[in-house]
Short mmCIF file of all heavy atoms in Angstrom, two decimals:
data_model
loop_
_atom_site.label_atom_id
_atom_site.label_comp_id
_atom_site.label_asym_id
_atom_site.label_seq_id
_atom_site.Cartn_x
_atom_site.Cartn_y
_atom_site.Cartn_z
N MET A 1 5.37 -5.28 9.66
CA MET A 1 5.80 -4.17 8.82
C MET A 1 4.82 -3.98 7.66
O MET A 1 4.44 -4.96 7.01
CB MET A 1 7.19 -4.47 8.27
CG MET A 1 7.87 -3.24 7.75
SD MET A 1 9.38 -3.65 6.84
CE MET A 1 8.72 -4.00 5.22
N SER A 2 4.39 -2.76 7.42
CA SER A 2 3.47 -2.56 6.31
C SER A 2 4.06 -1.64 5.25
O SER A 2 4.92 -0.80 5.53
CB SER A 2 2.13 -2.02 6.82
OG SER A 2 2.34 -0.87 7.56
N THR A 3 3.57 -1.83 4.04
CA THR A 3 4.03 -1.06 2.90
C THR A 3 2.81 -0.39 2.28
O THR A 3 1.73 -0.97 2.26
CB THR A 3 4.68 -2.00 1.85
OG1 THR A 3 5.52 -2.91 2.53
CG2 THR A 3 5.50 -1.23 0.86
N GLU A 4 3.01 0.84 1.78
CA GLU A 4 1.89 1.56 1.16
C GLU A 4 2.09 1.67 -0.34
O GLU A 4 3.19 1.87 -0.82
CB GLU A 4 1.79 2.96 1.76
CG GLU A 4 1.38 2.93 3.21
CD GLU A 4 1.15 4.32 3.79
OE1 GLU A 4 1.19 5.31 3.04
OE2 GLU A 4 0.94 4.38 5.01
N TYR A 5 0.97 1.55 -1.04
CA TYR A 5 0.99 1.69 -2.49
C TYR A 5 -0.13 2.67 -2.82
O TYR A 5 -1.28 2.44 -2.47
CB TYR A 5 0.70 0.34 -3.16
CG TYR A 5 1.68 -0.75 -2.76
CD1 TYR A 5 1.47 -1.49 -1.60
CD2 TYR A 5 2.80 -1.03 -3.52
CE1 TYR A 5 2.36 -2.50 -1.23
CE2 TYR A 5 3.70 -2.02 -3.16
CZ TYR A 5 3.47 -2.75 -2.00
OH TYR A 5 4.34 -3.74 -1.64
N SER A 6 0.20 3.79 -3.49
CA SER A 6 -0.88 4.76 -3.71
C SER A 6 -0.85 5.40 -5.08
O SER A 6 0.16 5.41 -5.77
CB SER A 6 -0.83 5.85 -2.63
OG SER A 6 0.47 6.27 -2.42
N ASN A 7 -2.02 5.92 -5.46
CA ASN A 7 -2.11 6.85 -6.57
C ASN A 7 -2.88 8.06 -6.04
O ASN A 7 -3.04 8.20 -4.82
CB ASN A 7 -2.77 6.18 -7.80
CG ASN A 7 -4.19 5.73 -7.55
OD1 ASN A 7 -4.85 6.17 -6.61
ND2 ASN A 7 -4.67 4.83 -8.39
N ASP A 8 -3.39 8.89 -6.92
CA ASP A 8 -4.05 10.12 -6.46
C ASP A 8 -5.32 9.84 -5.67
O ASP A 8 -5.73 10.63 -4.84
CB ASP A 8 -4.43 11.00 -7.67
CG ASP A 8 -3.19 11.52 -8.36
OD1 ASP A 8 -2.11 11.45 -7.75
OD2 ASP A 8 -3.31 11.99 -9.51
N GLU A 9 -5.94 8.71 -5.95
CA GLU A 9 -7.27 8.46 -5.37
C GLU A 9 -7.27 7.52 -4.19
O GLU A 9 -8.16 7.58 -3.35
CB GLU A 9 -8.18 7.84 -6.44
CG GLU A 9 -8.51 8.77 -7.57
CD GLU A 9 -9.33 8.02 -8.62
OE1 GLU A 9 -10.49 7.75 -8.34
OE2 GLU A 9 -8.78 7.70 -9.68
N VAL A 10 -6.32 6.60 -4.16
CA VAL A 10 -6.43 5.53 -3.18
C VAL A 10 -5.04 5.09 -2.70
O VAL A 10 -4.07 5.14 -3.46
CB VAL A 10 -7.24 4.36 -3.79
CG1 VAL A 10 -6.49 3.67 -4.91
CG2 VAL A 10 -7.67 3.35 -2.75
N THR A 11 -4.96 4.73 -1.42
CA THR A 11 -3.72 4.17 -0.88
C THR A 11 -4.04 2.80 -0.28
O THR A 11 -4.91 2.68 0.58
CB THR A 11 -3.13 5.08 0.21
OG1 THR A 11 -2.78 6.32 -0.38
CG2 THR A 11 -1.88 4.46 0.84
N VAL A 12 -3.35 1.79 -0.77
CA VAL A 12 -3.51 0.44 -0.23
C VAL A 12 -2.34 0.19 0.73
O VAL A 12 -1.18 0.43 0.37
CB VAL A 12 -3.50 -0.62 -1.35
CG1 VAL A 12 -3.60 -2.03 -0.77
CG2 VAL A 12 -4.64 -0.38 -2.34
N VAL A 13 -2.65 -0.24 1.93
CA VAL A 13 -1.62 -0.59 2.90
C VAL A 13 -1.58 -2.11 3.02
O VAL A 13 -2.61 -2.75 3.21
CB VAL A 13 -1.93 0.03 4.28
CG1 VAL A 13 -0.79 -0.26 5.27
CG2 VAL A 13 -2.16 1.53 4.16
N TRP A 14 -0.39 -2.66 2.87
CA TRP A 14 -0.24 -4.12 2.93
C TRP A 14 0.61 -4.49 4.14
O TRP A 14 1.74 -4.02 4.28
CB TRP A 14 0.44 -4.61 1.66
CG TRP A 14 0.67 -6.10 1.62
CD1 TRP A 14 -0.28 -7.07 1.75
CD2 TRP A 14 1.91 -6.78 1.44
NE1 TRP A 14 0.32 -8.31 1.66
CE2 TRP A 14 1.65 -8.16 1.46
CE3 TRP A 14 3.22 -6.35 1.25
CZ2 TRP A 14 2.65 -9.12 1.31
CZ3 TRP A 14 4.21 -7.31 1.09
CH2 TRP A 14 3.92 -8.68 1.13
N ASP A 15 0.04 -5.30 4.99
CA ASP A 15 0.76 -5.78 6.17
C ASP A 15 1.25 -7.20 5.90
O ASP A 15 0.49 -8.16 5.93
CB ASP A 15 -0.18 -5.75 7.39
CG ASP A 15 0.55 -6.16 8.67
OD1 ASP A 15 1.65 -6.76 8.60
OD2 ASP A 15 0.01 -5.87 9.75
N LYS A 16 2.52 -7.26 5.61
CA LYS A 16 3.15 -8.53 5.24
C LYS A 16 2.93 -9.62 6.30
O LYS A 16 2.76 -10.79 5.98
CB LYS A 16 4.65 -8.25 5.10
CG LYS A 16 5.44 -9.31 4.43
CD LYS A 16 6.90 -8.84 4.34
CE LYS A 16 7.74 -9.90 3.66
NZ LYS A 16 9.10 -9.43 3.44
N THR A 17 2.96 -9.22 7.55
CA THR A 17 2.86 -10.21 8.63
C THR A 17 1.47 -10.84 8.71
O THR A 17 1.32 -11.92 9.25
CB THR A 17 3.22 -9.58 9.99
OG1 THR A 17 2.28 -8.54 10.27
CG2 THR A 17 4.62 -9.02 9.99
N LYS A 18 0.44 -10.14 8.17
CA LYS A 18 -0.92 -10.70 8.24
C LYS A 18 -1.28 -11.49 6.99
O LYS A 18 -2.23 -12.26 6.98
CB LYS A 18 -1.93 -9.57 8.39
CG LYS A 18 -2.01 -9.01 9.79
CD LYS A 18 -3.22 -8.10 9.88
CE LYS A 18 -3.21 -7.24 11.12
NZ LYS A 18 -4.06 -6.07 10.96
N CYS A 19 -0.57 -11.25 5.92
CA CYS A 19 -0.93 -11.86 4.64
C CYS A 19 -0.74 -13.37 4.69
O CYS A 19 0.32 -13.87 5.05
CB CYS A 19 -0.07 -11.26 3.52
SG CYS A 19 -0.48 -11.86 1.89
N ILE A 20 -1.81 -14.08 4.35
CA ILE A 20 -1.75 -15.54 4.37
C ILE A 20 -1.58 -16.10 2.95
O ILE A 20 -1.71 -17.28 2.73
CB ILE A 20 -3.00 -16.15 5.05
CG1 ILE A 20 -4.28 -15.62 4.39
CG2 ILE A 20 -3.00 -15.85 6.55
CD1 ILE A 20 -5.55 -16.33 4.82
N HIS A 21 -1.34 -15.21 2.02
CA HIS A 21 -1.08 -15.59 0.64
C HIS A 21 -2.18 -16.47 0.04
O HIS A 21 -1.92 -17.41 -0.69
CB HIS A 21 0.30 -16.27 0.52
CG HIS A 21 1.39 -15.38 1.04
ND1 HIS A 21 1.80 -14.24 0.38
CD2 HIS A 21 2.10 -15.42 2.19
CE1 HIS A 21 2.74 -13.64 1.08
NE2 HIS A 21 2.93 -14.33 2.19
N ALA A 22 -3.40 -16.13 0.41
CA ALA A 22 -4.54 -16.87 -0.13
C ALA A 22 -4.77 -16.52 -1.59
O ALA A 22 -5.48 -17.22 -2.30
CB ALA A 22 -5.79 -16.55 0.68
N ALA A 23 -4.18 -15.43 -2.02
CA ALA A 23 -4.24 -15.00 -3.42
C ALA A 23 -5.63 -14.64 -3.91
O ALA A 23 -5.88 -14.61 -5.10
CB ALA A 23 -3.59 -16.03 -4.34
N LYS A 24 -6.53 -14.36 -3.00
CA LYS A 24 -7.86 -13.89 -3.40
C LYS A 24 -7.74 -12.61 -4.20
O LYS A 24 -8.41 -12.40 -5.20
CB LYS A 24 -8.71 -13.60 -2.16
CG LYS A 24 -9.55 -14.75 -1.74
CD LYS A 24 -10.84 -14.24 -1.08
CE LYS A 24 -11.82 -15.33 -0.90
NZ LYS A 24 -13.05 -15.16 -1.60
N CYS A 25 -6.88 -11.75 -3.73
CA CYS A 25 -6.69 -10.47 -4.41
C CYS A 25 -6.13 -10.68 -5.81
O CYS A 25 -6.53 -10.02 -6.76
CB CYS A 25 -5.77 -9.58 -3.59
SG CYS A 25 -4.19 -10.35 -3.17
N VAL A 26 -5.21 -11.62 -5.93
CA VAL A 26 -4.56 -11.87 -7.22
C VAL A 26 -5.58 -12.39 -8.23
O VAL A 26 -5.60 -11.98 -9.39
CB VAL A 26 -3.41 -12.88 -7.05
CG1 VAL A 26 -2.72 -13.16 -8.37
CG2 VAL A 26 -2.41 -12.36 -6.02
N LYS A 27 -6.45 -13.26 -7.77
CA LYS A 27 -7.47 -13.81 -8.67
C LYS A 27 -8.52 -12.75 -9.01
O LYS A 27 -9.02 -12.70 -10.11
CB LYS A 27 -8.15 -15.02 -8.04
CG LYS A 27 -7.21 -16.21 -8.04
CD LYS A 27 -7.94 -17.49 -7.62
CE LYS A 27 -6.95 -18.59 -7.27
NZ LYS A 27 -6.95 -18.93 -5.84
N GLY A 28 -8.84 -11.92 -8.04
CA GLY A 28 -9.88 -10.92 -8.24
C GLY A 28 -9.46 -9.78 -9.14
O GLY A 28 -10.22 -9.36 -10.01
N LEU A 29 -8.26 -9.27 -8.94
CA LEU A 29 -7.79 -8.13 -9.73
C LEU A 29 -6.33 -8.36 -10.16
O LEU A 29 -5.41 -7.75 -9.64
CB LEU A 29 -7.86 -6.83 -8.90
CG LEU A 29 -9.17 -6.08 -8.78
CD1 LEU A 29 -8.97 -4.80 -7.98
CD2 LEU A 29 -9.78 -5.74 -10.13
N PRO A 30 -6.15 -9.23 -11.14
CA PRO A 30 -4.78 -9.57 -11.56
C PRO A 30 -3.98 -8.41 -12.14
O PRO A 30 -2.76 -8.47 -12.18
CB PRO A 30 -4.98 -10.69 -12.59
CG PRO A 30 -6.41 -10.59 -13.01
CD PRO A 30 -7.17 -10.01 -11.87
N ASN A 31 -4.66 -7.36 -12.57
CA ASN A 31 -3.91 -6.21 -13.08
C ASN A 31 -3.38 -5.30 -11.98
O ASN A 31 -2.62 -4.38 -12.24
CB ASN A 31 -4.78 -5.39 -14.04
CG ASN A 31 -5.02 -6.14 -15.33
OD1 ASN A 31 -4.17 -6.92 -15.78
ND2 ASN A 31 -6.18 -5.93 -15.93
N VAL A 32 -3.82 -5.56 -10.77
CA VAL A 32 -3.36 -4.75 -9.63
C VAL A 32 -2.41 -5.55 -8.73
O VAL A 32 -1.34 -5.07 -8.36
CB VAL A 32 -4.57 -4.25 -8.80
CG1 VAL A 32 -4.11 -3.53 -7.54
CG2 VAL A 32 -5.44 -3.33 -9.66
N PHE A 33 -2.83 -6.77 -8.41
CA PHE A 33 -2.06 -7.58 -7.48
C PHE A 33 -1.18 -8.55 -8.26
O PHE A 33 -1.68 -9.51 -8.86
CB PHE A 33 -3.00 -8.31 -6.52
CG PHE A 33 -3.81 -7.36 -5.69
CD1 PHE A 33 -5.11 -7.02 -6.05
CD2 PHE A 33 -3.27 -6.77 -4.55
CE1 PHE A 33 -5.86 -6.12 -5.29
CE2 PHE A 33 -4.01 -5.87 -3.79
CZ PHE A 33 -5.31 -5.54 -4.15
N LYS A 34 0.11 -8.25 -8.27
CA LYS A 34 1.06 -9.03 -9.09
C LYS A 34 2.19 -9.54 -8.22
O LYS A 34 3.25 -8.91 -8.13
CB LYS A 34 1.60 -8.14 -10.21
CG LYS A 34 0.50 -7.60 -11.12
CD LYS A 34 1.09 -6.80 -12.25
CE LYS A 34 0.00 -6.39 -13.22
NZ LYS A 34 0.54 -5.67 -14.38
N PRO A 35 1.97 -10.67 -7.58
CA PRO A 35 2.95 -11.16 -6.61
C PRO A 35 4.33 -11.47 -7.17
O PRO A 35 5.29 -11.55 -6.42
CB PRO A 35 2.28 -12.43 -6.04
CG PRO A 35 1.23 -12.79 -7.02
CD PRO A 35 0.79 -11.54 -7.70
N LYS A 36 4.42 -11.63 -8.47
CA LYS A 36 5.73 -11.94 -9.04
C LYS A 36 6.57 -10.70 -9.29
O LYS A 36 7.76 -10.79 -9.60
CB LYS A 36 5.56 -12.71 -10.35
CG LYS A 36 5.00 -14.11 -10.13
CD LYS A 36 5.21 -14.98 -11.36
CE LYS A 36 4.85 -16.42 -11.09
NZ LYS A 36 3.39 -16.63 -11.03
N GLU A 37 5.95 -9.54 -9.15
CA GLU A 37 6.70 -8.32 -9.43
C GLU A 37 7.17 -7.66 -8.15
O GLU A 37 6.59 -7.83 -7.10
CB GLU A 37 5.84 -7.38 -10.27
CG GLU A 37 5.55 -8.04 -11.61
CD GLU A 37 4.93 -7.12 -12.63
OE1 GLU A 37 5.05 -5.89 -12.51
OE2 GLU A 37 4.31 -7.67 -13.56
N LYS A 38 8.20 -6.88 -8.27
CA LYS A 38 8.81 -6.28 -7.09
C LYS A 38 7.83 -5.35 -6.38
O LYS A 38 7.63 -5.43 -5.18
CB LYS A 38 10.07 -5.53 -7.51
CG LYS A 38 10.96 -5.23 -6.33
CD LYS A 38 12.39 -4.99 -6.76
CE LYS A 38 13.26 -4.89 -5.51
NZ LYS A 38 13.93 -3.61 -5.42
N ARG A 39 7.22 -4.44 -7.13
CA ARG A 39 6.17 -3.59 -6.57
C ARG A 39 4.87 -4.35 -6.84
O ARG A 39 4.24 -4.19 -7.87
CB ARG A 39 6.18 -2.23 -7.27
CG ARG A 39 5.37 -1.17 -6.56
CD ARG A 39 5.64 0.20 -7.17
NE ARG A 39 5.24 0.25 -8.58
CZ ARG A 39 4.03 0.59 -9.01
NH1 ARG A 39 3.11 0.96 -8.15
NH2 ARG A 39 3.76 0.60 -10.29
N TRP A 40 4.49 -5.18 -5.90
CA TRP A 40 3.48 -6.19 -6.23
C TRP A 40 2.06 -5.67 -6.26
O TRP A 40 1.19 -6.31 -6.83
CB TRP A 40 3.63 -7.41 -5.33
CG TRP A 40 2.90 -7.39 -4.03
CD1 TRP A 40 3.29 -6.78 -2.88
CD2 TRP A 40 1.65 -8.02 -3.73
NE1 TRP A 40 2.37 -6.97 -1.90
CE2 TRP A 40 1.35 -7.74 -2.39
CE3 TRP A 40 0.76 -8.80 -4.48
CZ2 TRP A 40 0.18 -8.19 -1.77
CZ3 TRP A 40 -0.41 -9.25 -3.86
CH2 TRP A 40 -0.68 -8.95 -2.52
N ILE A 41 1.80 -4.50 -5.65
CA ILE A 41 0.47 -3.91 -5.76
C ILE A 41 0.56 -2.68 -6.66
O ILE A 41 1.25 -1.71 -6.32
CB ILE A 41 -0.10 -3.53 -4.38
CG1 ILE A 41 -0.20 -4.78 -3.50
CG2 ILE A 41 -1.48 -2.88 -4.54
CD1 ILE A 41 -0.72 -4.50 -2.08
N GLN A 42 -0.08 -2.76 -7.81
CA GLN A 42 0.00 -1.65 -8.78
C GLN A 42 -1.36 -0.99 -8.87
O GLN A 42 -2.24 -1.43 -9.63
CB GLN A 42 0.51 -2.19 -10.12
CG GLN A 42 1.91 -2.81 -9.94
CD GLN A 42 2.50 -3.37 -11.22
OE1 GLN A 42 1.96 -3.20 -12.30
NE2 GLN A 42 3.64 -4.03 -11.09
N VAL A 43 -1.53 0.06 -8.08
CA VAL A 43 -2.85 0.68 -7.94
C VAL A 43 -3.37 1.34 -9.22
O VAL A 43 -4.55 1.65 -9.31
CB VAL A 43 -2.88 1.70 -6.78
CG1 VAL A 43 -3.04 1.00 -5.45
CG2 VAL A 43 -1.65 2.56 -6.76
N GLU A 44 -2.51 1.51 -10.21
CA GLU A 44 -2.98 2.09 -11.47
C GLU A 44 -3.69 1.05 -12.34
O GLU A 44 -4.24 1.39 -13.38
CB GLU A 44 -1.82 2.75 -12.23
CG GLU A 44 -0.70 1.83 -12.65
CD GLU A 44 0.31 1.53 -11.54
OE1 GLU A 44 0.04 1.84 -10.36
OE2 GLU A 44 1.37 0.96 -11.86
N GLY A 45 -3.71 -0.20 -11.88
CA GLY A 45 -4.26 -1.28 -12.70
C GLY A 45 -5.78 -1.40 -12.68
O GLY A 45 -6.35 -2.21 -13.41
N ALA A 46 -6.47 -0.61 -11.86
CA ALA A 46 -7.94 -0.68 -11.80
C ALA A 46 -8.47 0.62 -11.21
O ALA A 46 -7.68 1.45 -10.73
CB ALA A 46 -8.38 -1.87 -10.96
N SER A 47 -9.79 0.78 -11.24
CA SER A 47 -10.36 2.00 -10.66
C SER A 47 -10.28 1.93 -9.13
O SER A 47 -10.16 0.86 -8.55
CB SER A 47 -11.82 2.15 -11.08
OG SER A 47 -12.61 1.17 -10.42
N ALA A 48 -10.34 3.10 -8.51
CA ALA A 48 -10.28 3.15 -7.05
C ALA A 48 -11.39 2.30 -6.44
O ALA A 48 -11.16 1.57 -5.47
CB ALA A 48 -10.40 4.60 -6.58
N GLN A 49 -12.59 2.35 -7.03
CA GLN A 49 -13.70 1.58 -6.47
C GLN A 49 -13.46 0.07 -6.58
O GLN A 49 -13.73 -0.68 -5.64
CB GLN A 49 -15.02 1.96 -7.17
CG GLN A 49 -16.25 1.42 -6.47
CD GLN A 49 -16.31 1.85 -4.99
OE1 GLN A 49 -16.27 3.04 -4.69
NE2 GLN A 49 -16.40 0.90 -4.06
N GLU A 50 -12.93 -0.36 -7.69
CA GLU A 50 -12.62 -1.79 -7.85
C GLU A 50 -11.60 -2.23 -6.81
O GLU A 50 -11.69 -3.32 -6.24
CB GLU A 50 -12.06 -2.06 -9.25
CG GLU A 50 -13.09 -2.02 -10.34
CD GLU A 50 -12.46 -2.19 -11.72
OE1 GLU A 50 -11.62 -1.35 -12.12
OE2 GLU A 50 -12.79 -3.16 -12.39
N ILE A 51 -10.62 -1.40 -6.57
CA ILE A 51 -9.58 -1.74 -5.59
C ILE A 51 -10.18 -1.79 -4.18
O ILE A 51 -9.93 -2.72 -3.42
CB ILE A 51 -8.42 -0.73 -5.68
CG1 ILE A 51 -7.70 -0.92 -7.02
CG2 ILE A 51 -7.44 -0.93 -4.52
CD1 ILE A 51 -6.69 0.14 -7.34
N ILE A 52 -10.99 -0.81 -3.86
CA ILE A 52 -11.62 -0.78 -2.53
C ILE A 52 -12.48 -2.03 -2.33
O ILE A 52 -12.43 -2.67 -1.27
CB ILE A 52 -12.45 0.51 -2.37
CG1 ILE A 52 -11.52 1.71 -2.28
CG2 ILE A 52 -13.37 0.43 -1.13
CD1 ILE A 52 -12.18 3.06 -2.48
N ASP A 53 -13.23 -2.42 -3.34
CA ASP A 53 -14.08 -3.62 -3.24
C ASP A 53 -13.22 -4.87 -3.03
O ASP A 53 -13.54 -5.72 -2.20
CB ASP A 53 -14.92 -3.79 -4.51
CG ASP A 53 -16.01 -2.73 -4.62
OD1 ASP A 53 -16.26 -2.04 -3.62
OD2 ASP A 53 -16.59 -2.61 -5.71
N GLN A 54 -12.14 -4.96 -3.78
CA GLN A 54 -11.30 -6.15 -3.67
C GLN A 54 -10.59 -6.21 -2.31
O GLN A 54 -10.48 -7.27 -1.70
CB GLN A 54 -10.27 -6.16 -4.81
CG GLN A 54 -9.47 -7.45 -4.90
CD GLN A 54 -10.38 -8.65 -5.17
OE1 GLN A 54 -11.21 -8.62 -6.07
NE2 GLN A 54 -10.21 -9.71 -4.39
N VAL A 55 -10.15 -5.09 -1.84
CA VAL A 55 -9.48 -5.04 -0.53
C VAL A 55 -10.43 -5.54 0.56
O VAL A 55 -10.02 -6.25 1.47
CB VAL A 55 -8.98 -3.60 -0.25
CG1 VAL A 55 -8.65 -3.39 1.22
CG2 VAL A 55 -7.75 -3.29 -1.11
N GLY A 56 -11.72 -5.23 0.40
CA GLY A 56 -12.72 -5.69 1.37
C GLY A 56 -12.87 -7.20 1.42
O GLY A 56 -13.41 -7.74 2.37
N LYS A 57 -12.40 -7.88 0.39
CA LYS A 57 -12.54 -9.35 0.33
C LYS A 57 -11.32 -10.09 0.85
O LYS A 57 -11.31 -11.32 0.88
CB LYS A 57 -12.81 -9.77 -1.11
CG LYS A 57 -14.16 -9.29 -1.63
CD LYS A 57 -14.33 -9.66 -3.09
CE LYS A 57 -15.53 -8.94 -3.69
NZ LYS A 57 -15.45 -8.88 -5.16
N CYS A 58 -10.29 -9.39 1.22
CA CYS A 58 -9.07 -10.06 1.72
C CYS A 58 -9.41 -10.79 3.02
O CYS A 58 -9.90 -10.19 3.96
CB CYS A 58 -7.98 -9.03 1.96
SG CYS A 58 -6.54 -9.71 2.79
N PRO A 59 -9.19 -12.10 3.07
CA PRO A 59 -9.64 -12.88 4.23
C PRO A 59 -8.85 -12.62 5.52
O PRO A 59 -9.34 -12.90 6.61
CB PRO A 59 -9.44 -14.33 3.77
CG PRO A 59 -8.41 -14.27 2.69
CD PRO A 59 -8.58 -12.94 2.03
N SER A 60 -7.68 -12.06 5.40
CA SER A 60 -6.83 -11.90 6.59
C SER A 60 -6.77 -10.47 7.10
O SER A 60 -6.24 -10.20 8.17
CB SER A 60 -5.41 -12.35 6.26
OG SER A 60 -4.84 -11.44 5.34
N GLY A 61 -7.29 -9.54 6.33
CA GLY A 61 -7.16 -8.14 6.70
C GLY A 61 -5.76 -7.59 6.47
O GLY A 61 -5.38 -6.55 7.00
N ALA A 62 -4.99 -8.27 5.64
CA ALA A 62 -3.61 -7.83 5.37
C ALA A 62 -3.57 -6.57 4.52
O ALA A 62 -2.61 -5.80 4.60
CB ALA A 62 -2.83 -8.94 4.68
N ILE A 63 -4.58 -6.37 3.70
CA ILE A 63 -4.62 -5.15 2.91
C ILE A 63 -5.79 -4.29 3.39
O ILE A 63 -6.89 -4.77 3.64
CB ILE A 63 -4.72 -5.41 1.38
CG1 ILE A 63 -5.64 -6.59 1.03
CG2 ILE A 63 -3.35 -5.62 0.77
CD1 ILE A 63 -5.81 -6.84 -0.46
N THR A 64 -5.50 -3.03 3.53
CA THR A 64 -6.52 -2.08 3.96
C THR A 64 -6.38 -0.81 3.12
O THR A 64 -5.36 -0.60 2.47
CB THR A 64 -6.35 -1.71 5.45
OG1 THR A 64 -4.99 -1.41 5.71
CG2 THR A 64 -6.78 -2.84 6.38
N ILE A 65 -7.43 0.00 3.16
CA ILE A 65 -7.41 1.27 2.45
C ILE A 65 -7.16 2.37 3.46
O ILE A 65 -7.74 2.39 4.54
CB ILE A 65 -8.76 1.52 1.74
CG1 ILE A 65 -9.05 0.46 0.68
CG2 ILE A 65 -8.80 2.92 1.12
CD1 ILE A 65 -8.15 0.47 -0.52
N LYS A 66 -6.28 3.29 3.10
CA LYS A 66 -5.97 4.39 4.01
C LYS A 66 -6.76 5.64 3.61
O LYS A 66 -6.83 5.93 2.41
CB LYS A 66 -4.49 4.67 3.92
CG LYS A 66 -3.97 5.51 5.04
CD LYS A 66 -2.46 5.46 4.98
CE LYS A 66 -1.86 6.65 5.70
NZ LYS A 66 -0.42 6.70 5.50
S1 SF4 B 1 -6.11 -11.55 -0.38
FE1 SF4 B 1 -5.09 -10.71 1.43
S2 SF4 B 1 -4.19 -12.48 2.43
FE2 SF4 B 1 -4.65 -13.07 0.34
S3 SF4 B 1 -2.75 -12.70 -0.80
FE3 SF4 B 1 -4.06 -10.89 -0.99
S4 SF4 B 1 -3.35 -9.57 0.66
FE4 SF4 B 1 -2.60 -11.59 1.15
#
């Protein structure tokens, strides 16, 4: 099951079943990826380019850009 998080510029799709909770995203962009919060990906926390770059580093492919 995947969930989408978007703003005007970018949509991040998160596939819960692929996420290995390596927390690379959390360390890379802590203002966007907040696992303790209910809406855990907050796309307003960084620029679209920063988010796209960070998504590219996810080791499991759990997060993608739409
Ligand atoms: S980097 Fe990818 S696998 Fe790791 S916690 Fe973030 S979404 Fe999940």
Side-chain angles (χ1 to χ4, degrees):
M1 197 190 84
S2 55
T3 316
E4 293 185 6
Y5 303 85
S6 44
N7 62 18
D8 293 345
E9 293 176 72
V10 68
T11 297
V12 177
V13 184
W14 179 57
D15 184 343
K16 193 179 180 175
T17 62
K18 282 191 194 159
C19 183
I20 54 170
H21 303 289
K24 266 211 168 242
C25 54
V26 180
K27 287 189 195 112
L29 278 183
N31 290 329
V32 174
F33 298 97
K34 300 184 174 183
K36 291 196 171 75
E37 297 191 21
K38 197 158 188 240
R39 194 170 62 89
W40 88 278
I41 300 178
Q42 299 180 8
V43 280
E44 62 279 13
S47 71
Q49 191 56 55
E50 286 176 299
I51 292 170
I52 291 165
D53 290 347
Q54 188 61 49
V55 164
K57 293 176 192 160
C58 172
S60 68
I63 39 177
T64 47
I65 297 292
K66 195 168 159 188

